[in-house]
Amino acid sequence: MHEHVTDVYVQRSKAEGYRSRAAYKLMEIDDRDRLIRPGDTVVDLGAAPGGWSQVVAKRLSGRGRIVALDLLEMAPIHGVDFIQGDFREDDVLQQLENLLGGGKVGLVLSDMAPNMSGIPLSDQARVMHLAELGLEFGRNWLKPDGAFLVKVFQGHGYEELVRSMRETFRSVVTRKPDASRDRSAEVYLLGKGLRE
């Protein structure tokens, strides 16, 4: 608790009006990789409490569209269409696809994380399953020059996911933003440009 309260990114997020410290992770990656492009549609999977959607909305400045989805409630954000539901369920995925109306997406963000059970192998398998579902969604909905950014944890299934991403995208890189805690095993995989 002390670490959280004294965390520089937690303090910055409060001061600057962002809903979570995760906002700074996306800002840092976007500053480097130029993922958020005005005019694009962006899908934010695992969006609550909304830090990433806030960053996207600010950087699109009204030119583009954001569709956010989460199992948890999320307070409204101007310019963001929000669906509350479980991404693993077909009817929720259908709602998302209906909102997209057949239009292709420039960027899929996935910061999804399951409720952790405390059983490392089981938790890792569930994290990887969500990452694979996000990748599959990206395969189906991204524009040819689109990008997919996903949070994962290094461990069982990680190499297989990297392989799947390399089969899907022309470029795959790993990002560990400064806002990620050093002791955390989380990394972000970024795939850009769909293979033919």
Side-chain angles (χ1 to χ4, degrees):
M1 190 66 196
H2 176 74
E3 178 189 42
H4 180 76
V5 173
T6 58
D7 182 293
V8 64
Y9 291 103
V10 170
Q11 292 172 342
R12 263 182 78 186
S13 65
K14 286 195 170 104
E16 295 175 11
Y18 287 103
R19 295 181 181 184
S20 68
R21 68 191 303 286
Y24 298 97
K25 299 175 190 178
L26 180 58
M27 283 184 226
E28 187 182 329
I29 294 169
D30 186 50
D31 288 345
R32 180 174 182 173
D33 295 291
R34 303 277 175 242
L35 303 177
I36 302 166
R37 303 174 301 192
D40 270 350
T41 296
V42 177
V43 173
D44 184 1
L45 302 173
W52 280 20
S53 286
Q54 284 180 298
V55 171
V56 175
K58 194 171 186 175
R59 293 192 173 197
L60 286 179
S61 27
R63 292 172 298 150
R65 183 162 184 225
I66 309 155
V67 181
L69 184 147
D70 202 290
L71 191 55
L72 304 174
E73 279 184 64
M74 186 174 96
I77 297 171
H78 181 71
V80 177
D81 293 318
F82 177 67
I83 299 166
Q84 185 175 355
D86 189 334
F87 183 66
R88 297 168 299 179
E89 293 176 6
D90 290 341
D91 62 323
V92 174
L93 183 58
Q94 190 62 58
Q95 279 182 61
L96 175 55
E97 292 177 346
N98 291 347
L99 255 184
L100 294 174
K104 291 292 185 177
V105 172
L107 175 61
V108 175
L109 301 170
S110 176
D111 203 21
M112 289 190 287
N115 290 329
M116 296 299 193
S117 68
I119 303 165
L121 202 59
S122 168
D123 289 342
Q124 178 69 4
R126 290 174 25 223
V127 166
M128 288 319 211
H129 178 63
L130 290 173
E132 286 160 6
L133 290 175
L135 175 58
E136 187 178 334
F137 177 81
R139 244 186 236 125
N140 295 330
W141 284 92
L142 281 171
K143 295 175 176 178
D145 66 344
F148 173 58
L149 180 68
V150 60
K151 175 174 72 182
V152 292
F153 295 91
Q154 291 167 307
H156 185 73
Y158 175 78
E159 291 304 328
E160 290 86 341
L161 181 67
V162 171
R163 211 169 16 254
S164 294
M165 286 194 58
R166 288 197 174 121
E167 287 165 6
T168 305
F169 297 101
R170 292 192 299 273
S171 159
V172 176
V173 294
T174 305
R175 296 287 181 248
K176 175 86 172 174
D178 290 341
S180 283
R181 292 192 169 106
D182 289 340
R183 63 177 168 71
S184 171
E186 80 174 14
V187 293
Y188 290 86
L189 288 173
L190 171 59
K192 293 172 86 173
L194 287 174
R195 291 187 182 277
E196 304 272 314

